[in-house]
Amino acid sequence: MSGRAQLMWDEAVTGYDFGRDHPMDPVRLALTRSLVGALGLDREVEVVAAKAAGESTLRLVHREDYIDAVKAASADPAAADMSYGLGTLDDPAFAGMHEVSALIAGQSVGAAEAVWRGDAAHAVNFAGGLHHAMPGAASGFCVYNDAALAIARLLELGAERVAYIDVDVHHGDGVQAAFWEDPRVLTISLHEHPRTLFPQTGWPEETGAGSAEGSAVNVALPAGTGDAGWLRAFHAVVPELLADFRPQVLVTQHGADTHFEDPLAHLAVSLDAQRAVQVACHELAHEYAGGRWVALGGGGYAVVEVVPRSWTHLVGIAAGREVEPETVIPEGWRQEVYARTRQLGPVRMTDGRWPVGWAAWEDGYDPADRLDQAVLATRRAVFPLRGMLA
Ligand SMILES: [Zn+2]
């Protein structure tokens, strides 16, 4: 494995736009790309525009009748078929929807191909991570499931063990569903508890089916969980599972909606903790997956304050040039933020919580603590299925 990290980017991905009042404003992608440039990180990576995912690739995960329904809605948004989740409040139909969704999927598939073939050790598609899309339906702002498609492509290329880690505040339900009965894919999702958040799945008892029992892992975190609890839960579950599973490739989804400023969810994680998990994923890829790492974006609706900084850190980590938290953001970028959004952009690449402290699970736990109860529920539901000690 060689070469610089790849950043997957085609300006046209900003056409993934559900309209003015929708929370998933594509300005978050444009501002991330320009912050990457403002900090000079685009000179540290190979910027690559992959081609859109074609029909045969989309069918690795999606049903033909659903793809046809997306194409029809894309050509005539007014005729969207709501039985496929299209034309709904969450997933309004828009002209060109099929093409731009396939383009985003193509970036993740291209990232997977580059990493599998060794063209790059790491590849990032922050426009991707659309983890709620189901084989036969749009859901939760997601049309095509680029994360599942990247994994499916890795399997098609011959991968036998792919691990997927999803730290978006919402459960990675579409990816879990795609590989529910496939023991070659270990899906791990840490998210806010389904009792208080969409999509109301991701209970610890969801562990996969048939020969894949124990290959779906869900950590359902109490609303209000902050930095120390979030990092503690991550480290109490993820490294042991990877050590056991021995993935050949690591695919990670970095939805930034765990942040305390995020308007759609209720965790209280800072940018600094998000960065710490990105660093951990990078290290885990090297420790357990031969360095092969595909990193994706995901949710994130604080589109000025949080998303661009979070995913710029991700690009820096993949590029091998981590951005120091105290870094002052160039004034030119803040001017662009104001021009595009009439909001004031953040000044530094930190929320002031660096370094983030947390207590290791190995040093003991408290059965009366709600966070520890969440971790225990996951370990007890899954670890024995894999022959591991809970
Ligand atoms: Zn999300």
Side-chain angles (χ1 to χ4, degrees):
M1 158 187 352
S2 62
R4 295 195 298 175
Q6 287 192 7
L7 172 60
M8 315 306 295
W9 179 255
D10 182 325
E11 192 73 37
V13 298
T14 59
Y16 192 79
D17 188 351
F18 291 112
R20 277 186 61 171
D21 297 322
H22 195 282
M24 199 153 182
D25 185 337
V27 78
R28 69 202 196 112
L29 301 179
L31 291 178
T32 302
R33 176 64 186 87
S34 58
L35 184 55
V36 165
L39 292 174
L41 293 173
D42 52 357
R43 296 190 299 269
E44 310 288 330
V45 294
E46 192 187 345
V47 182
V48 175
K51 62 182 185 354
E55 190 89 19
S56 61
T57 300
L58 293 173
R59 275 197 225 152
L60 293 175
V61 168
H62 294 290
R63 287 196 333 236
E64 193 174 354
D65 58 318
Y66 172 59
I67 298 169
D68 289 343
V70 175
K71 285 182 174 170
S74 186
D76 180 6
D81 186 342
M82 288 179 68
S83 70
Y84 289 103
L86 300 164
T88 57
L89 274 179
D90 272 7
D91 301 275
F94 60 92
M97 176 186 228
H98 165 76
E99 287 75 13
V100 69
S101 302
L103 183 64
I104 290 174
Q107 305 314 304
S108 294
V109 169
E113 290 172 345
V115 165
W116 184 254
R117 291 175 178 150
D119 298 337
H122 314 323
V124 179
N125 175 25
F126 59 73
L130 302 175
H131 60 167
H132 295 306
M134 290 293 172
S139 175
F141 315 163
C142 305
V143 178
Y144 293 138
N145 197 318
D146 63 285
L149 287 162
I151 295 167
R153 179 68 177 132
L154 288 166
L155 298 175
E156 191 181 48
L157 289 170
E160 291 165 338
R161 291 180 311 282
V162 181
Y164 172 74
I165 303 172
D166 184 321
V167 297
D168 191 286
V169 78
H170 302 93
H171 176 222
D173 57 344
V175 183
Q176 174 177 291
F179 304 105
W180 185 245
E181 296 182 66
D182 193 333
R184 295 173 298 174
V185 183
L186 175 70
T187 63
I188 308 173
S189 179
L190 286 90
H191 45 262
E192 181 179 331
H193 201 285
R195 216 180 277 128
T196 50
L197 196 66
F198 177 89
Q200 280 84 44
T201 56
W203 296 78
E205 294 76 17
E206 297 169 30
T207 55
S211 63
E213 239 197 316
S215 72
V217 182
N218 289 288
V219 188
L221 300 164
T225 296
D227 289 353
W230 195 59
L231 290 171
R232 174 173 170 79
F234 180 93
H235 289 283
V237 171
V238 176
E240 275 178 81
L241 285 165
L242 295 188
D244 173 70
F245 184 69
R246 298 179 299 111
Q248 295 162 302
V249 195
L250 190 59
V251 179
T252 59
Q253 195 270 20
H254 296 272
D257 42 10
T258 48
H259 196 273
F260 55 77
E261 295 252 15
D262 196 90
L264 298 191
H266 325 94
L267 294 195
V269 170
S270 73
L271 185 76
D272 300 291
Q274 291 180 346
R275 181 185 185 280
V277 158
Q278 295 163 0
V279 169
C281 286
H282 177 227
E283 287 171 355
L284 289 167
H286 280 282
E287 193 165 352
Y288 296 113
R292 286 178 287 270
W293 183 31
V294 175
L296 309 172
Y301 309 99
V303 301
V304 168
E305 185 66 24
V306 178
V307 174
R309 291 189 296 162
S310 189
W311 295 344
T312 295
H313 276 303
L314 183 64
V315 172
I317 291 159
R321 222 200 74 186
E322 294 182 13
V323 178
E324 291 305 319
E326 286 303 325
T327 301
V328 174
I329 293 175
E331 184 56 31
W333 183 80
R334 301 184 68 238
Q335 285 168 0
E336 183 189 342
V337 167
Y338 188 75
R340 281 177 181 258
T341 68
R342 298 291 146 191
Q343 293 181 53
L344 294 176
V347 175
R348 287 181 189 271
M349 291 294 289
T350 177
D351 285 336
R353 304 222 186 146
W354 189 266
V356 187
W358 52 278
W361 187 256
E362 295 73 31
D363 295 336
Y365 59 86
D366 176 3
D369 180 83
R370 288 176 66 218
L371 189 276
D372 285 1
Q373 287 169 359
V375 170
L376 267 179
T378 300
R379 292 178 61 106
R380 286 177 177 160
V382 175
F383 282 26
L385 294 172
R386 305 196 63 85
M388 298 162 60
L389 288 173

